[in-house]
């Protein structure tokens, strides 16, 4: 969201990424959360985020429950991005298993 971008100390990193990747800026945190939730629901995307999604949880607790398992939290320590690798592995395994089940249900024999 624009507000988070304005607070960012590393705008040059964002600018570099925006040239190399398809980055979308939303006007508000709520709109950014909606966009992320839509990606998760549509694509089953895993999202690595330092956002808590508290505002989204308050406004749409049912929607939050459907996306919560796809959000992998991270922290930055000493300039390094730290992700819970065990959590990431578990979520990825579940995601793949769920996709395989969906494919099996949709296969016409």
């Amino acid at each position: 969201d624009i507000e988070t971008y304005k607070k960012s100390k590393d705008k040059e990193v964002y600018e570099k990424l925006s040239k190399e990747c398809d980055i979308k800026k939303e006007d508000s945190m709520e709109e950014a959360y909606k966009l992320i939730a839509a990606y998760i629901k549509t694509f089953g995307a895993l999202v690595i985020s330092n956002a808590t999604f508290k505002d989204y949880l308050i406004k749409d607790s049912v929607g939050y429950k459907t996306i919560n398992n796809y959000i992998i939290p991270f922290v930055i320590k000493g300039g390094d991005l730290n992700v819970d690798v065990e959590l990431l592995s578990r979520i990825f395994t579940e995601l793949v298993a769920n996709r395989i089940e969906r494919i099996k249900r949709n296969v016409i024999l």
Side-chain angles (χ1 to χ4, degrees), residues 4 13 16 33 35 39 54 68 74 78:
T4 301
V13 172
K16 181 179 180 195
Y33 287 169
L35 176 69
Y39 268 79
K54 277 191 258 181
N68 185 41
F74 76 86

Side-chain angles (χ1 to χ4, degrees), residues 6-98:
K6 288 178 183 175
K7 292 177 189 176
S8 172
K9 294 177 186 174
D10 296 323
K11 289 183 180 58
E12 63 276 354
V13 172
Y14 174 86
E15 297 303 328
K16 181 179 180 195
L17 286 173
S18 68
K19 289 177 185 172
E20 296 177 14
C21 307
D22 182 17
I23 293 180
K24 298 179 184 342
K25 282 188 198 173
E26 294 294 336
D27 292 330
S28 70
M29 192 176 295
E30 182 177 340
E31 291 302 313
Y33 287 169
K34 286 180 183 178
L35 176 69
I36 293 167
Y39 268 79
I40 292 171
K41 290 175 185 176
T42 303
F43 303 110
L46 295 175
V47 175
I48 298 175
S49 176
N50 66 342
T52 61
F53 289 78
K54 277 191 258 181
D55 294 334
Y56 188 79
L57 168 62
I58 292 167
K59 292 186 184 213
D60 184 1
S61 63
V62 173
Y64 178 77
K65 287 177 185 172
T66 64
I67 69 165
N68 185 41
N69 290 333
Y70 294 89
I71 300 170
I72 296 100
F74 76 86
V75 293
I76 297 177
K77 290 183 183 175
D80 292 328
L81 180 76
N82 293 311
V83 177
D84 183 340
V85 176
E86 288 179 26
L87 174 64
L88 183 59
S89 176
R90 181 181 55 78
I91 290 172
F92 183 73
T93 301
E94 289 174 14
L95 179 68
V96 170
N98 289 340

